[in-house]
Amino acid sequence: MEKIKKYTGRIMVPVLFILLLAPYLASSVIDEGGVSILAGTYLFAVLSIAWSLGAIFDDKRKTIALLQDSEGRYRIFSKYSKELVNSFNEVIFQTDHKGKWLYLNPAWKSMSGATVNESLGLHFSKHVDNTSYQDVLKAFAESFEQGKKYFRVDIKLRDAKKGSSWVEAFVKLIYDEAGKFIGTAGILSEINERKHAEEKLVSLNEHLAITSSKLSTAAQLAAGIAHEVRNPMTAILGFVKLIRDGGTDKQEYYDIIFSEINRIEQVLNELLMLSKPSGAVFLEKDLKKSCDHVVTLLETNAVLNNIQIHKNYDAEPIFIYFDENQIKQVLINIIKNSIESMPDGGNIFLSIYEQNREVFVTILDEGEGIPENSLQKVGEPFFTTKSSGTGLGLSVCFKIIEKHGGKVFITSELKKGTKIVCVFPAVQPKNLSGNEKEEERDEMVKPEK
Protein backbone atom coordinates (compact mmCIF):
# COMPACT_ATOMS: atom_id res chain seq x y z
CA MET A 1 0.00 0.00 0.00
CA GLU A 2 2.87 2.35 0.86
CA LYS A 3 4.44 1.75 -2.57
CA ILE A 4 1.15 2.62 -4.31
CA LYS A 5 1.01 5.90 -2.36
CA LYS A 6 4.45 6.82 -3.70
CA TYR A 7 3.08 6.67 -7.28
CA THR A 8 -0.32 8.28 -6.74
CA GLY A 9 0.50 11.24 -8.96
CA ARG A 10 1.97 9.08 -11.72
CA ILE A 11 -1.26 7.01 -11.78
CA MET A 12 -3.94 9.64 -11.17
CA VAL A 13 -2.71 12.34 -13.58
CA PRO A 14 -2.48 10.05 -16.71
CA VAL A 15 -5.91 8.55 -15.83
CA LEU A 16 -7.35 12.09 -15.59
CA PHE A 17 -5.86 12.99 -18.97
CA ILE A 18 -7.26 9.77 -20.54
CA LEU A 19 -10.72 10.62 -19.24
CA LEU A 20 -10.42 14.13 -20.67
CA LEU A 21 -9.30 12.75 -24.06
CA ALA A 22 -11.90 9.96 -24.17
CA PRO A 23 -14.45 11.94 -26.32
CA TYR A 24 -11.72 12.82 -28.83
CA LEU A 25 -10.52 9.21 -29.08
CA ALA A 26 -14.09 7.92 -29.43
CA SER A 27 -14.93 10.31 -32.29
CA SER A 28 -11.60 9.49 -33.99
CA VAL A 29 -12.35 5.79 -33.86
CA ILE A 30 -15.89 6.31 -35.20
CA ASP A 31 -14.84 8.64 -38.03
CA GLU A 32 -11.76 6.78 -39.18
CA GLY A 33 -12.62 3.27 -38.10
CA GLY A 34 -9.61 3.14 -35.71
CA VAL A 35 -6.87 5.20 -34.09
CA SER A 36 -4.73 7.01 -36.63
CA ILE A 37 -0.96 7.36 -36.33
CA LEU A 38 -1.31 11.09 -35.63
CA ALA A 39 -3.86 10.46 -32.90
CA GLY A 40 -1.67 7.72 -31.38
CA THR A 41 1.38 9.98 -31.35
CA TYR A 42 -0.62 12.77 -29.79
CA LEU A 43 -1.98 10.37 -27.16
CA PHE A 44 1.51 9.09 -26.30
CA ALA A 45 2.83 12.64 -25.95
CA VAL A 46 -0.04 13.64 -23.71
CA LEU A 47 0.37 10.55 -21.52
CA SER A 48 4.14 11.19 -21.20
CA ILE A 49 3.49 14.76 -20.07
CA ALA A 50 0.84 13.49 -17.69
CA TRP A 51 3.30 10.93 -16.28
CA SER A 52 5.94 13.66 -15.77
CA LEU A 53 3.43 15.94 -14.08
CA GLY A 54 2.38 13.06 -11.86
CA ALA A 55 6.03 12.42 -10.93
CA ILE A 56 6.48 16.11 -10.06
CA PHE A 57 3.31 15.95 -7.96
CA ASP A 58 4.63 12.89 -6.10
CA ASP A 59 7.99 14.57 -5.42
CA LYS A 60 6.35 17.79 -4.19
CA ARG A 61 3.99 15.85 -1.97
CA LYS A 62 6.92 13.94 -0.52
CA THR A 63 8.84 17.20 0.08
CA ILE A 64 5.82 18.78 1.75
CA ALA A 65 5.43 15.73 3.98
CA LEU A 66 9.10 15.93 4.97
CA LEU A 67 8.81 19.66 5.66
CA GLN A 68 5.73 19.12 7.80
CA ASP A 69 7.53 16.39 9.71
CA SER A 70 10.61 18.61 10.16
CA GLU A 71 8.45 21.52 11.29
CA GLY A 72 6.80 19.32 13.87
CA ARG A 73 10.14 18.03 15.09
CA TYR A 74 11.52 21.60 15.21
CA ARG A 75 8.55 22.80 17.23
CA ILE A 76 9.01 19.96 19.70
CA PHE A 77 12.79 20.52 19.84
CA SER A 78 12.35 24.28 20.21
CA LYS A 79 9.83 23.82 22.99
CA TYR A 80 11.95 21.39 24.98
CA SER A 81 15.18 23.29 24.26
CA LYS A 82 13.65 26.46 25.63
CA GLU A 83 12.42 24.62 28.72
CA LEU A 84 15.86 23.04 29.14
CA VAL A 85 17.70 26.37 28.79
CA ASN A 86 15.30 28.07 31.19
CA SER A 87 15.85 25.31 33.77
CA PHE A 88 19.65 25.78 33.85
CA ASN A 89 21.24 27.24 36.98
CA GLU A 90 23.98 28.60 34.74
CA VAL A 91 23.45 31.77 32.75
CA ILE A 92 23.48 31.39 28.98
CA PHE A 93 24.19 34.68 27.25
CA GLN A 94 24.83 36.36 23.92
CA THR A 95 26.29 39.81 23.26
CA ASP A 96 26.83 41.95 20.19
CA HIS A 97 30.25 43.13 18.99
CA LYS A 98 30.14 46.07 21.42
CA GLY A 99 29.51 43.87 24.46
CA LYS A 100 25.80 44.63 24.93
CA TRP A 101 23.55 41.82 26.12
CA LEU A 102 21.38 40.35 23.34
CA TYR A 103 20.13 37.28 25.18
CA LEU A 104 20.06 36.11 28.82
CA ASN A 105 18.17 33.12 30.21
CA PRO A 106 16.08 33.44 33.42
CA ALA A 107 18.97 32.24 35.64
CA TRP A 108 20.47 35.70 35.17
CA LYS A 109 18.13 37.23 37.75
CA SER A 110 19.13 34.89 40.58
CA MET A 111 22.82 35.31 39.72
CA SER A 112 23.01 39.08 39.22
CA GLY A 113 19.92 40.41 41.01
CA ALA A 114 18.76 42.21 37.84
CA THR A 115 15.92 41.04 35.60
CA VAL A 116 16.52 40.00 32.01
CA ASN A 117 14.45 42.89 30.66
CA GLU A 118 16.42 45.39 32.75
CA SER A 119 19.74 44.06 31.48
CA LEU A 120 19.11 43.46 27.77
CA GLY A 121 20.70 46.22 25.71
CA LEU A 122 23.09 47.24 28.50
CA HIS A 123 26.86 46.84 28.27
CA PHE A 124 28.17 43.90 30.29
CA SER A 125 30.54 46.22 32.19
CA LYS A 126 27.50 47.63 34.04
CA HIS A 127 27.27 44.38 36.01
CA VAL A 128 30.96 43.66 36.81
CA ASP A 129 33.55 45.43 38.94
CA ASN A 130 36.39 47.38 37.35
CA THR A 131 39.06 44.75 38.00
CA SER A 132 36.96 42.02 36.36
CA TYR A 133 36.21 44.33 33.43
CA GLN A 134 39.96 44.81 32.87
CA ASP A 135 40.48 41.02 33.11
CA VAL A 136 37.82 40.44 30.43
CA LEU A 137 39.38 43.03 28.12
CA LYS A 138 42.78 41.41 28.60
CA ALA A 139 41.38 37.96 27.82
CA PHE A 140 39.68 39.37 24.68
CA ALA A 141 42.92 40.97 23.51
CA GLU A 142 44.90 37.77 24.02
CA SER A 143 42.26 35.71 22.18
CA PHE A 144 42.28 38.11 19.21
CA GLU A 145 46.09 38.15 19.05
CA GLN A 146 46.44 34.37 19.30
CA GLY A 147 43.49 33.59 17.02
CA LYS A 148 41.58 31.68 19.71
CA LYS A 149 37.80 31.35 19.56
CA TYR A 150 37.28 30.53 23.22
CA PHE A 151 38.52 31.81 26.57
CA ARG A 152 37.73 31.47 30.26
CA VAL A 153 37.85 34.22 32.88
CA ASP A 154 36.69 34.70 36.47
CA ILE A 155 34.36 37.69 36.91
CA LYS A 156 33.01 39.43 39.99
CA LEU A 157 29.36 40.39 39.44
CA ARG A 158 27.93 43.38 41.28
CA ASP A 159 24.57 42.80 42.94
CA ALA A 160 22.77 45.57 44.84
CA LYS A 161 21.06 42.97 47.04
CA LYS A 162 23.73 40.29 47.59
CA GLY A 163 26.74 42.60 47.31
CA SER A 164 28.82 40.63 44.82
CA SER A 165 29.33 37.09 43.58
CA TRP A 166 32.04 35.29 41.63
CA VAL A 167 31.28 33.57 38.32
CA GLU A 168 33.38 31.73 35.78
CA ALA A 169 32.70 32.88 32.21
CA PHE A 170 33.21 30.52 29.28
CA VAL A 171 33.10 32.80 26.22
CA LYS A 172 32.98 31.92 22.52
CA LEU A 173 33.86 34.57 19.97
CA ILE A 174 31.42 34.66 17.03
CA TYR A 175 32.43 35.65 13.50
CA ASP A 176 30.34 36.01 10.33
CA GLU A 177 31.08 34.28 7.00
CA ALA A 178 33.44 37.10 6.04
CA GLY A 179 35.46 36.58 9.24
CA LYS A 180 34.20 39.76 10.91
CA PHE A 181 33.70 39.67 14.69
CA ILE A 182 29.98 40.07 15.46
CA GLY A 183 29.65 39.17 19.13
CA THR A 184 30.00 36.51 21.79
CA ALA A 185 28.03 33.68 23.35
CA GLY A 186 28.75 31.64 26.42
CA ILE A 187 27.93 30.41 29.90
CA LEU A 188 28.31 31.99 33.36
CA SER A 189 28.72 29.53 36.26
CA GLU A 190 28.71 30.58 39.92
CA ILE A 191 31.99 29.78 41.73
CA ASN A 192 31.57 31.50 45.10
CA GLU A 193 32.48 28.38 47.08
CA ARG A 194 35.60 27.80 45.01
CA LYS A 195 36.70 31.42 45.43
CA HIS A 196 36.15 31.32 49.18
CA ALA A 197 38.20 28.13 49.37
CA GLU A 198 40.99 29.76 47.34
CA GLU A 199 40.96 32.82 49.61
CA LYS A 200 41.19 30.60 52.70
CA LEU A 201 44.08 28.69 51.11
CA VAL A 202 45.92 31.93 50.28
CA SER A 203 45.34 33.21 53.81
CA LEU A 204 46.62 29.93 55.26
CA ASN A 205 49.71 30.01 53.03
CA GLU A 206 50.44 33.59 54.07
CA HIS A 207 50.05 32.67 57.73
CA LEU A 208 52.40 29.69 57.32
CA ALA A 209 54.92 31.86 55.46
CA ILE A 210 54.83 34.49 58.22
CA THR A 211 55.22 31.84 60.93
CA SER A 212 58.06 30.17 59.04
CA SER A 213 59.80 33.50 58.55
CA LYS A 214 59.43 34.29 62.27
CA LEU A 215 60.96 30.99 63.34
CA SER A 216 63.77 31.33 60.81
CA THR A 217 64.56 34.85 62.03
CA ALA A 218 64.48 33.73 65.66
CA ALA A 219 66.96 30.96 64.89
CA GLN A 220 69.30 33.36 63.06
CA LEU A 221 69.20 35.78 66.02
CA ALA A 222 70.09 33.09 68.54
CA ALA A 223 73.78 34.04 68.66
CA GLY A 224 73.01 37.70 69.28
CA ILE A 225 70.41 36.84 71.93
CA ALA A 226 72.86 34.55 73.70
CA HIS A 227 75.41 37.37 73.76
CA GLU A 228 72.76 39.84 74.91
CA VAL A 229 71.80 37.58 77.82
CA ARG A 230 75.38 36.67 78.71
CA ASN A 231 76.46 40.27 79.39
CA PRO A 232 73.79 41.00 82.03
CA MET A 233 74.34 37.56 83.55
CA THR A 234 78.05 38.34 83.96
CA ALA A 235 77.21 41.60 85.71
CA ILE A 236 74.64 39.90 87.94
CA LEU A 237 77.10 37.18 88.97
CA GLY A 238 79.76 39.80 89.73
CA PHE A 239 77.52 41.85 92.01
CA VAL A 240 76.13 38.73 93.73
CA LYS A 241 79.72 37.79 94.62
CA LEU A 242 80.34 41.28 95.97
CA ILE A 243 77.23 41.01 98.14
CA ARG A 244 78.31 37.58 99.34
CA ASP A 245 81.77 38.91 100.17
CA GLY A 246 80.20 41.71 102.24
CA GLY A 247 80.12 44.70 99.91
CA THR A 248 79.16 47.91 101.68
CA ASP A 249 76.67 49.60 99.32
CA LYS A 250 74.30 46.65 98.80
CA GLN A 251 71.32 48.79 97.71
CA GLU A 252 73.24 50.06 94.70
CA TYR A 253 74.20 46.49 93.85
CA TYR A 254 70.56 45.43 94.04
CA ASP A 255 69.50 48.23 91.71
CA ILE A 256 72.05 47.18 89.11
CA ILE A 257 71.09 43.50 89.44
CA PHE A 258 67.39 44.22 88.93
CA SER A 259 68.20 46.50 86.00
CA GLU A 260 70.15 43.72 84.29
CA ILE A 261 67.39 41.20 85.01
CA ASN A 262 64.85 43.55 83.42
CA ARG A 263 67.16 43.82 80.42
CA ILE A 264 67.20 40.02 80.05
CA GLU A 265 63.42 39.83 80.45
CA GLN A 266 62.90 42.48 77.79
CA VAL A 267 65.08 40.66 75.26
CA LEU A 268 63.50 37.27 75.96
CA ASN A 269 59.98 38.72 75.71
CA GLU A 270 60.80 40.16 72.30
CA LEU A 271 62.17 36.80 71.17
CA LEU A 272 59.07 34.96 72.40
CA MET A 273 56.79 37.45 70.66
CA LEU A 274 58.72 36.95 67.44
CA SER A 275 58.45 33.15 67.47
CA LYS A 276 54.88 32.91 68.78
CA PRO A 277 52.32 32.25 66.01
CA SER A 278 49.21 34.37 66.50
CA GLY A 279 46.35 35.86 64.53
CA ALA A 280 46.43 39.49 63.45
CA VAL A 281 45.10 41.94 66.05
CA PHE A 282 44.88 45.53 64.79
CA LEU A 283 45.10 48.16 67.53
CA GLU A 284 45.92 51.84 67.71
CA LYS A 285 49.46 51.98 69.14
CA ASP A 286 52.62 54.07 69.16
CA LEU A 287 54.75 52.83 66.27
CA LYS A 288 57.96 54.22 67.76
CA LYS A 289 57.71 51.98 70.82
CA SER A 290 57.50 48.91 68.57
CA CYS A 291 60.54 50.15 66.63
CA ASP A 292 62.45 50.59 69.90
CA HIS A 293 61.68 46.98 70.82
CA VAL A 294 62.97 45.77 67.44
CA VAL A 295 66.18 47.79 67.79
CA THR A 296 66.67 46.30 71.27
CA LEU A 297 66.35 42.82 69.80
CA LEU A 298 68.72 43.44 66.87
CA GLU A 299 71.25 45.83 68.38
CA THR A 300 73.57 43.17 69.78
CA ASN A 301 73.45 41.21 66.53
CA ALA A 302 74.39 44.40 64.70
CA VAL A 303 77.26 45.20 67.08
CA LEU A 304 78.67 41.71 66.59
CA ASN A 305 78.87 42.57 62.87
CA ASN A 306 80.46 45.99 63.56
CA ILE A 307 77.24 47.81 62.63
CA GLN A 308 75.62 50.72 64.43
CA ILE A 309 71.83 51.32 64.34
CA HIS A 310 70.98 55.03 64.56
CA LYS A 311 67.46 56.05 65.57
CA ASN A 312 66.18 59.36 64.30
CA TYR A 313 62.77 60.33 65.64
CA ASP A 314 61.23 62.68 68.15
CA ALA A 315 59.93 61.75 71.58
CA GLU A 316 56.32 62.50 70.59
CA PRO A 317 54.32 59.29 69.93
CA ILE A 318 53.16 58.47 66.39
CA PHE A 319 50.01 56.37 66.32
CA ILE A 320 48.92 54.06 63.53
CA TYR A 321 46.39 51.24 63.42
CA PHE A 322 48.45 48.03 63.18
CA ASP A 323 49.19 44.52 64.37
CA GLU A 324 52.30 44.96 66.51
CA ASN A 325 53.61 41.43 66.02
CA GLN A 326 53.41 41.61 62.23
CA ILE A 327 54.94 45.09 61.94
CA LYS A 328 57.80 44.01 64.19
CA GLN A 329 58.34 41.07 61.86
CA VAL A 330 58.53 43.49 58.91
CA LEU A 331 61.07 45.74 60.63
CA ILE A 332 63.17 42.79 61.79
CA ASN A 333 63.32 41.31 58.28
CA ILE A 334 64.27 44.62 56.65
CA ILE A 335 66.89 45.57 59.26
CA LYS A 336 68.30 42.03 59.25
CA ASN A 337 68.68 42.26 55.45
CA SER A 338 70.53 45.55 55.92
CA ILE A 339 72.86 43.92 58.45
CA GLU A 340 73.57 41.03 56.07
CA SER A 341 74.31 43.47 53.22
CA MET A 342 77.23 45.00 55.20
CA PRO A 343 79.76 42.20 55.85
CA ASP A 344 82.46 44.79 56.62
CA GLY A 345 80.30 46.80 59.00
CA GLY A 346 78.66 50.20 58.61
CA ASN A 347 75.60 52.15 59.72
CA ILE A 348 71.85 51.70 59.59
CA PHE A 349 69.65 54.78 59.93
CA LEU A 350 66.09 54.26 61.16
CA SER A 351 63.75 57.25 61.05
CA ILE A 352 60.03 57.66 61.73
CA TYR A 353 57.94 60.75 61.15
CA GLU A 354 54.39 61.76 60.37
CA GLN A 355 53.63 64.13 57.51
CA ASN A 356 50.86 64.77 55.02
CA ARG A 357 48.33 62.32 56.46
CA GLU A 358 50.89 59.51 56.42
CA VAL A 359 53.55 57.94 58.62
CA PHE A 360 56.94 57.27 57.03
CA VAL A 361 59.30 54.57 58.30
CA THR A 362 62.68 54.86 56.55
CA ILE A 363 65.51 52.31 56.81
CA LEU A 364 68.76 53.37 55.11
CA ASP A 365 71.90 51.22 55.07
CA GLU A 366 75.41 51.45 53.65
CA GLY A 367 75.43 47.99 52.14
CA GLU A 368 76.27 46.56 48.73
CA GLY A 369 73.05 47.83 47.14
CA ILE A 370 70.72 46.11 44.67
CA PRO A 371 71.38 45.95 40.89
CA GLU A 372 68.94 48.04 38.85
CA ASN A 373 67.70 45.05 36.85
CA SER A 374 66.77 43.27 40.11
CA LEU A 375 65.21 46.24 41.90
CA GLN A 376 61.78 45.80 40.28
CA LYS A 377 61.66 42.13 41.31
CA VAL A 378 62.36 42.75 45.00
CA GLY A 379 59.41 41.45 47.01
CA GLU A 380 58.32 38.87 44.44
CA PRO A 381 57.94 35.37 45.94
CA PHE A 382 61.08 33.22 45.59
CA PHE A 383 63.17 36.07 44.14
CA THR A 384 66.34 36.65 46.15
CA THR A 385 69.84 38.00 45.62
CA LYS A 386 71.20 35.79 48.42
CA SER A 387 72.81 32.45 47.61
CA SER A 388 71.00 30.74 50.51
CA GLY A 389 67.81 32.84 50.58
CA THR A 390 64.28 31.64 49.86
CA GLY A 391 62.90 34.92 48.56
CA LEU A 392 59.93 34.75 50.94
CA GLY A 393 61.06 37.22 53.63
CA LEU A 394 60.41 40.49 51.81
CA SER A 395 57.44 38.97 49.98
CA VAL A 396 55.78 38.32 53.34
CA CYS A 397 56.76 41.82 54.53
CA PHE A 398 55.17 43.47 51.51
CA LYS A 399 51.97 41.45 52.02
CA ILE A 400 51.81 42.59 55.66
CA ILE A 401 52.36 46.23 54.71
CA GLU A 402 49.66 45.98 52.03
CA LYS A 403 47.19 44.56 54.58
CA HIS A 404 47.91 47.57 56.78
CA GLY A 405 46.95 49.92 53.94
CA GLY A 406 50.59 50.83 53.38
CA LYS A 407 53.03 51.03 50.49
CA VAL A 408 56.72 50.34 50.02
CA PHE A 409 59.25 52.35 48.02
CA ILE A 410 62.77 51.03 47.40
CA THR A 411 65.76 52.91 45.98
CA SER A 412 69.30 51.58 45.81
CA GLU A 413 72.76 52.34 44.50
CA LEU A 414 75.48 49.73 44.11
CA LYS A 415 78.28 50.02 46.68
CA LYS A 416 76.43 52.89 48.39
CA GLY A 417 73.40 51.35 50.02
CA THR A 418 69.65 50.78 49.92
CA LYS A 419 66.78 52.90 51.19
CA ILE A 420 63.39 51.36 52.02
CA VAL A 421 60.47 53.65 52.82
CA CYS A 422 57.31 52.13 54.32
CA VAL A 423 54.32 54.48 54.20
CA PHE A 424 51.31 53.89 56.48
CA PRO A 425 48.08 55.87 56.94
CA ALA A 426 48.16 57.93 60.13
CA VAL A 427 45.42 57.57 62.73
CA GLN A 428 45.00 61.34 63.07
CA PRO A 429 45.75 62.77 59.60
CA LYS A 430 46.65 66.39 59.05
CA ASN A 431 44.86 68.43 56.38
CA LEU A 432 46.98 68.72 53.28
CA SER A 433 46.18 68.97 49.58
CA GLY A 434 46.73 65.93 47.36
CA ASN A 435 49.34 67.71 45.21
CA GLU A 436 51.46 68.69 48.23
CA LYS A 437 51.22 65.12 49.48
CA GLU A 438 52.50 63.64 46.22
CA GLU A 439 55.32 66.19 45.90
CA GLU A 440 56.59 65.57 49.42
CA ARG A 441 56.34 61.80 49.04
CA ASP A 442 58.42 61.94 45.84
CA GLU A 443 61.03 63.94 47.72
CA MET A 444 61.03 61.57 50.68
CA VAL A 445 61.65 58.41 48.71
CA LYS A 446 64.70 59.78 46.85
CA PRO A 447 67.98 58.08 47.84
CA GLU A 448 70.10 60.08 50.24
CA LYS A 449 73.59 60.94 49.06
Side-chain angles (χ1 to χ4, degrees), residues 180-335:
K180 182 182 178 182
F181 175 70
I182 59 174
T184 67
I187 299 174
L188 302 177
S189 303
E190 193 171 288
I191 55 170
N192 283 323
E193 291 185 4
R194 192 190 84 187
K195 277 293 179 180
H196 293 329
E198 289 177 358
E199 289 172 359
K200 288 182 180 178
L201 182 61
V202 169
S203 177
L204 177 61
N205 287 339
E206 288 180 359
H207 178 70
L208 292 175
I210 291 172
T211 303
S212 175
S213 180
K214 286 181 180 181
L215 295 174
S216 175
T217 302
Q220 292 176 18
L221 293 175
I225 298 300
H227 191 277
E228 188 69 24
V229 172
R230 188 182 296 116
N231 285 342
M233 286 300 297
T234 302
I236 291 170
L237 287 173
F239 285 106
V240 168
K241 287 180 180 179
L242 287 174
I243 294 172
R244 185 190 63 184
D245 295 340
T248 56
D249 195 355
K250 294 183 180 180
Q251 184 59 45
E252 183 182 353
Y253 295 163
Y254 289 139
D255 292 341
I256 295 174
I257 289 172
F258 281 114
S259 174
E260 295 300 323
I261 290 174
N262 288 334
R263 170 73 173 172
I264 293 172
E265 184 181 16
Q266 183 182 11
V267 171
L268 292 180
N269 284 339
E270 290 301 322
L271 183 62
L272 288 173
M273 182 176 287
L274 174 65
S275 61
K276 180 183 177 182
S278 60
V281 179
F282 288 78
L283 297 172
E284 182 180 331
K285 290 187 176 183
D286 182 5
L287 179 61
K288 291 192 294 186
K289 284 187 178 180
S290 298
C291 290
D292 284 336
H293 295 165
V294 170
V295 171
T296 299
L297 187 63
L298 292 171
E299 203 163 24
T300 302
N301 193 276
V303 171
L304 290 175
N305 290 276
N306 195 28
I307 294 170
Q308 296 293 322
I309 300 177
H310 305 275
K311 295 185 293 183
N312 179 26
Y313 40 82
D314 298 330
E316 293 296 325
I318 295 179
F319 291 97
I320 68 170
Y321 193 67
F322 69 108
D323 178 88
E324 186 175 21
N325 200 17
Q326 290 189 358
I327 292 300
K328 283 183 178 180
Q329 177 66 30
V330 169
L331 295 172
I332 288 171
N333 277 1
I334 294 175
I335 295 174

Side-chain angles (χ1 to χ4, degrees), residues 15-28:
V15 168
L16 180 61
F17 271 76
I18 290 172
L19 292 175
L20 292 173
L21 293 174
Y24 168 74
L25 292 174
S27 63
S28 177

Side-chain angles (χ1 to χ4, degrees), residues 47 58 61 84 99 112 115 121 123 158 174 187 206 218 242 344 393 397 401 415 419 435:
L47 291 176
D58 288 337
R61 193 182 64 165
L84 183 64
S112 69
T115 65
H123 196 272
R158 292 183 297 195
I174 303 174
I187 299 174
E206 288 180 359
L242 287 174
D344 299 324
C397 289
I401 293 170
K415 305 301 180 182
K419 181 179 181 181
N435 291 335

